[in-house]
Every structure is written in structure tokens, then in C-alpha cells.
Amino acid sequence: MKAALVAADGTLLHEARRATGRERGAEAVVETIQDFAAELLDLGRERFATTASAAGVAVPGIVDAENGIAVYAANLGWRDVPMRELLGRRLGGIPVALGHDVRTGGLAEGRIGAGRGADRFLFVPLGTGIAGAIGIAGRIEAGAHGYAGEIGHIVVRPGGPACGCGQRGCLETLASASAVSRAWAAASGDPDADAADCAKAVESGDERAREVWLAAIGALADGLVTAITLLDPRTLIIGGGLAEAGETLFTPLRTAVEERVTFQRLPHIVPAALGDTAGCLGAGLLAWDLLATEVPA
């Protein structure tokens, strides 16, 4: 878990980390979140001589942001946690905003990170899976049911590898960091090899690594062109572990996307700028947004 004190302009005032402790069960994780937030509230009061005005929390899985409920998270084992109510009570009644982790990170990247100044952007982190956040005029579009931006489940290779969602050939089965790790482990014969190893092998001129890498980039480009066609973003922000390969990823990816577009306008394709602080900063922005939209009594 990562937590932060964030100023109104998005400045990171203090950051802290703590193990989730998910092996202790879902209830213990929720309690740890509350403890962590309460400690941060106290630290802010001591250090800045004022109490935080609001809190924001970003969680994975299915999130009902409007009602403040963490609906489901497979990795954490919880269901229907009234996160906003619990945190608000623990923090003395200050307003609490709840958000989805990827969309919250996308909010920060779009507003104060790599997408700053772009009225339309798409944030795509390439990690264990592939998700997405659609930015429109400084805010993130969640969709009618909270599922907008799930680009990782666009089918790019019909009949391809089975995906946990139940489909076959989803983008994340072919172009996520996990997918590249699996493909390179098989191609290299090293079961411990991962995507970072594949990128290094590409840089050293290994032809097998290049084949694995370009296959993933081709699938990624197909998925991104579908998104570009539907959304027409001005900026396309690529983050997550795979983006740490730098131009080893971005140079062939820009070429692959450019080769595939026809009438579409090519967006700026840029690396994410905020790293793993994006979620903290985005949660802070959610909190400040909540204060901005509250109507005085």
C-alpha cells in the first residue's frame, strides 16, 4: 500500500508505504487501510499544523465510486466493503472519495503527469494485465457501469490464448508484461526469465527475443488502434512495468501504430511520468475534487 499527503495543486508533501498483509485476510486488510489513513491524518496535523480536508482512496477490482463501495477484489479477497463510510468514520468525519486504482492513476497522469494539457487522453498501464483510463477534459470516464477503459479485454487474436475473463485472444494475454515474460521464458528455455530480461536480450541483438518482443508490440498496436479509432485521444500514455524498457518499447510501438492507422489522427504516444506514485497523487486529486464539488450549507 502507498499513501500520501497531497496539496491542492497535486504536490506530493509526504509519502509512505506499508505491506498490504493480505495473507491475514480481507478484514485485516481493510483494518490496515484505516489504520494507515489515521496515522497519515495525525502526521499531517503534526507536521503542517492543520488537519487534512478530505481523503481519497484507490483500490483494485470492481469499484462503485458513486456509493463508496469496494465491490470486489480477487487478490484481496473482499466483497462489498463500504470503504467510504468506514474511512470517514475512522478519520473523524472528513469527506472521503473512492476510486479505481487504474483510473485514479490515469487521473494523475492526465492532469499533472505525461498528459498535462491534453483535453483527451488514454492511459494504458502494461503490467500483470492491461487496463486503461479514458481522460476527458481533466476527468476520467468510468462508463455507465464502471467498466470503461478495459482495453486489455479487446480481442486482438480471435481463438488465441485463454484469458481469465473467459474470452480467447484478449490483448492482455499477448502484450502485458506477464504475457511477454511467459513467451520469453518459453523461447529462451529459462523458466525464470521475465519481460525485463527479454527487453535486455532485444537490446543485445538476440533474434529470438526480438521475435517475442515484436509479436507483443504487434498485438499491442492492434489493440491501441482500436482504442484510437473509438476514442480519438490527443495523447496516449503508456505506463506499467513494460514501459520501463524505454525506447526499446516506444520506438517500434510508435512505428507499428503509425503503420496501422489510415484515416485516424495519430496521437502523441508518450511514457507515463509519475511511476508508482500516480495512484497516491490521483487519490489526492480525487479528494480535492470532492471538496471542489461540495455545496456549502
Side-chain angles (χ1 to χ4, degrees):
M1 293 188 291
K2 295 178 285 290
L5 293 170
V6 181
D9 63 357
T11 300
L12 192 67
L13 302 175
H14 173 79
E15 185 183 8
R17 294 165 187 255
R18 179 172 295 179
T20 306
R22 62 182 182 180
E23 69 281 354
R24 295 179 296 121
E27 289 185 10
V29 172
V30 174
E31 188 62 35
T32 301
I33 292 171
Q34 295 178 73
D35 290 344
F36 201 5
E39 288 174 21
L40 206 65
L41 187 74
D42 291 342
L43 185 146
R45 188 183 296 118
E46 293 167 9
R47 184 170 298 182
F48 300 102
T50 185
T51 300
S53 303
V57 58
V59 299
I62 300 171
V63 179
D64 179 353
E66 185 176 346
N67 294 303
I69 297 171
V71 178
Y72 176 66
N75 290 338
L76 297 174
W78 66 40
R79 286 184 181 273
D80 299 320
V81 177
M83 192 70 73
R84 184 170 66 199
E85 178 187 341
L86 292 173
L87 265 179
R89 191 185 309 148
R90 185 64 180 274
L91 300 178
I94 66 172
V96 175
L98 177 68
H100 180 270
D101 57 350
V102 172
R103 288 195 287 269
T104 302
L107 175 68
E109 281 290 353
R111 196 178 293 180
I112 60 176
R116 185 196 293 264
D119 55 344
R120 298 286 191 281
F121 69 87
L122 177 64
F123 170 57
V124 181
L126 309 173
T128 304
I130 296 179
I134 302 165
I136 302 173
R139 296 192 177 275
I140 301 298
E141 172 56 48
H145 308 97
Y147 299 133
E150 289 289 352
I151 185 176
H153 297 290
I154 290 176
V155 174
V156 293
R157 299 289 182 269
C163 181
C165 77
Q167 299 188 110
R168 300 189 72 90
C170 287
L171 179 60
E172 72 173 40
T173 68
L174 296 150
S176 63
S178 297
V180 174
S181 294
R182 287 192 299 270
W184 179 233
S188 66
D190 178 359
D192 296 323
D194 61 14
D197 296 324
C198 185
K200 290 173 186 173
V202 170
E203 291 161 10
S204 68
D206 188 303
E207 190 57 35
R208 295 171 306 166
R210 186 172 179 275
E211 286 182 18
V212 168
W213 196 250
L214 291 181
I217 285 175
L220 179 58
D222 287 339
L224 292 177
V225 169
T226 298
I228 290 167
T229 305
L230 288 172
L231 302 172
D232 187 27
R234 198 173 304 279
T235 303
L236 184 53
I237 306 166
I238 307 294
L242 216 56
E244 293 175 10
E247 286 307 311
T248 301
L249 173 71
F250 283 93
T251 296
L253 178 60
R254 291 185 184 109
T255 298
V257 171
E258 188 169 4
E259 287 172 350
R260 285 162 170 76
V261 297
T262 53
F263 66 90
Q264 303 93 333
R265 291 292 295 272
L266 200 64
H268 298 292
I269 302 176
V270 299
L274 302 177
D276 67 358
T277 63
C280 281
L281 291 167
L285 293 175
L286 283 180
W288 283 109
D289 286 354
L290 190 62
L291 291 173
T293 57
E294 283 192 338
V295 179

